[in-house]
Amino acid sequence: MHASLALLLELGIALAGLSMLGSAARWAGIPVIPLYLLAGLVLGGGGFTTAHAAGGFVRTGASIGVVLLLLTLGLEFSTEEFLVSAHRHLPSAAVDLVANAVPGAVAGLVLGLDAAGVVALAGVTWVSSSGIVSRLLADLRQLGNRETPAVLSVLVIEDFAMAVYLPLLAVLGSGGTWWQALIGVTVAVTAVAVAFAGSRRWGHHVNRWLVHPDPEQLMLRVLGATLVVAALAEMVNVSAAVGALLIGLTLTGESAARARAVLSPLRDLFAAAFFLSIGLTVRPAELVAAMPVATVLATAGVATKILTGWYAAARDGSGTRGRLRAGAALIARGEFSVVVVGTVAADESALASTVVAYVLVLAIAGPLLARYLPAWADRRGSTERHDRQVARSRRANGLGGAPRSGGGSSWHYVESREG
């Protein structure tokens, strides 16, 4: 009874606090994700207070939150749309792998890590957070943008690549043999191929079974099927996000719209638990020594993800601002990085602290850069275009010189005498 009382009290206070943070973020015009992460940092071990009873619920809710975020993202597209986009963006995935995994591998070698540590750190710097990115796209109202299919394709190809990466990493971490890795990779890749083939061939039958006129039945069927498929995906070392996405892609048209309507409140609740849980894993005292290395890696991670998004969005014909939006959306790292460091590098406390600091920096900086970087670049581009237009106008009127910024919105001109 006392444990239940503590759970209800802590959870109620946490939810009320998150509501206040959400209102503050909306008032300030910033994404709410960084505030949720900082709240988890405060409530976690070593913070100002500790939520003992609510911690278990938050960690369980975090797993459901990632699944629901990817499910609702999949509801925005059809299987055919996704497959066409994913095929077109295989070169983007290659750029993503080289640009983002190589810095992590190099850093691992410089830090003197063993083979498993080097591969783990390469994965940490490579894979974006599907949960954070999907929530960010919804919060910034970018789901209908031209560059969004490119972002989704990069994310999901990363998740599919985990079917190869995770078995290899597990074998390296445990000292297993090459044939064990080969078996794991074969099973995972076969499962993904069968799932997609089944989704294309029998998806309409699944759609008919999932859809029900009663909202409660619709919610229970879609959520239940999604959790089962996500669990099966995890069993074969594929990200649960892939399984959730498959269910979302299966539902189309009015069915997808109804599913979004009934699942959105659940998604928002468990997504808050997901962001809170990332902060709960961090012990602030352990971040101080790791922050210099993490900051260098994070700076490189920002640049390489912007490069990835720029290239991917350019393949879809997006303009400069759309390319920046795509790159900034991909910056955040999160749940996958925490899983890697928790399973493979558990004995490497220095590596674990570096990865957690790296994830925290990018999970906070990513949403903020996604909110402000494209707008800043757009304003800068407008200013430069204005400068060129004024310069052309002055030359056409026989005046020399060019405009220069004098601060604020005022303009001063450097004039020259006519001979």
Side-chain angles (χ1 to χ4, degrees):
M1 181 67 182
H2 292 294
S4 176
L5 176 63
L7 171 63
L8 294 176
L9 181 60
E10 289 181 6
L11 194 57
I13 293 174
L15 292 177
L18 292 178
S19 173
M20 294 173 63
L21 291 176
S23 298
R26 192 174 298 108
W27 174 80
I30 62 173
V32 73
I33 296 171
L35 299 183
Y36 285 175
L37 294 169
L38 292 175
L41 190 64
V42 171
L43 295 173
F48 295 108
T49 184
T50 304
H52 293 290
F57 175 87
V58 170
R59 284 188 289 273
T60 302
S63 301
I64 299 174
V66 175
V67 168
L68 286 173
L69 284 166
L70 269 294
L71 168 64
T72 53
L73 183 61
L75 291 172
E76 301 289 336
F77 306 91
S78 68
T79 304
E80 292 300 325
E81 289 172 339
F82 168 72
L83 288 175
V84 169
S85 180
H87 183 267
R88 184 167 63 250
H89 284 289
L90 289 176
S92 304
V95 170
D96 181 40
L97 171 61
V98 174
N100 293 282
V102 169
V106 171
L109 293 172
V110 171
L111 293 172
L113 303 178
D114 59 13
V118 170
V119 174
L121 192 54
V124 166
T125 59
W126 169 27
V127 179
S128 299
S129 170
S130 299
I132 294 177
V133 175
S134 59
R135 173 61 186 265
L136 191 60
L137 292 173
D139 285 352
L140 297 179
R141 295 179 175 86
Q142 294 179 6
L143 289 173
N145 288 3
R146 169 178 279 187
E147 74 277 0
T148 297
V151 174
L152 175 63
S153 297
V154 170
L155 280 178
V156 177
I157 291 173
E158 285 180 352
D159 286 332
F160 283 146
M162 295 304 98
V164 176
Y165 175 84
L166 289 175
L168 291 175
L169 188 61
V171 168
L172 283 174
S174 62
T177 61
W178 66 268
W179 59 266
Q180 290 175 317
L182 182 61
I183 291 174
V185 169
T186 302
V187 170
V189 171
T190 301
V192 170
V194 169
F196 252 102
S199 176
R200 293 188 68 185
R201 184 172 181 83
W202 297 294
H204 58 286
H205 296 299
V206 177
N207 194 347
R208 281 202 299 268
W209 179 80
L210 290 176
V211 175
H212 194 279
D214 180 58
E216 179 183 356
Q217 286 294 318
L218 175 64
M219 179 191 68
L220 293 174
R221 291 186 182 189
V222 174
L223 182 57
T226 302
L227 293 176
V228 169
V229 173
L232 293 175
E234 288 283 349
M235 284 178 60
V236 293
N237 284 323
V238 181
S239 170
V242 173
L245 185 77
L246 277 174
I247 296 295
L249 293 173
T250 301
L251 295 171
T252 57
E254 183 182 351
S255 302
R258 291 183 59 233
R260 278 196 301 271
V262 298
L263 290 170
S264 290
L266 277 179
R267 176 202 63 191
D268 294 341
L269 171 62
F270 288 107
F274 163 64
F275 300 126
L276 197 63
S277 72
I278 295 178
L280 287 174
T281 64
V282 179
R283 298 184 66 86
E286 297 175 355
L287 298 182
V288 178
M291 196 56 73
V293 175
T295 302
V296 172
L297 276 175
T299 303
V302 169
T304 53
K305 282 296 181 180
I306 289 178
L307 171 64
T308 299
W310 183 282
Y311 178 81
R315 291 183 63 83
D316 281 352
S318 296
T320 300
R321 190 170 183 181
R323 298 176 193 182
L324 278 176
R325 283 196 299 261
L330 289 168
I331 288 172
R333 275 70 156 187
E335 65 278 7
F336 172 77
S337 303
V338 174
V339 168
V340 167
V341 76
T343 56
V344 178
D347 298 329
E348 297 281 352
S349 59
L351 175 60
S353 299
T354 299
V355 171
V356 170
Y358 172 80
V359 168
L360 186 65
V361 169
L362 289 184
I364 292 174
L368 294 175
L369 288 171
R371 169 67 176 84
Y372 292 111
L373 184 60
W376 173 82
D378 195 48
R379 287 195 298 270
R380 183 177 177 85
S382 298
T383 299
E384 291 173 351
R385 287 192 297 271
H386 183 271
D387 283 353
R388 290 193 293 269
Q389 290 170 358
V390 171
R392 285 195 297 267
S393 176
R394 291 176 60 76
R395 285 194 296 270
N397 291 325
L399 299 174
R404 60 181 175 87
S405 174
S409 59
S410 61
W411 290 91
H412 302 275
Y413 296 95
V414 181
E415 299 184 356
S416 64
R417 284 176 168 270
E418 291 184 328

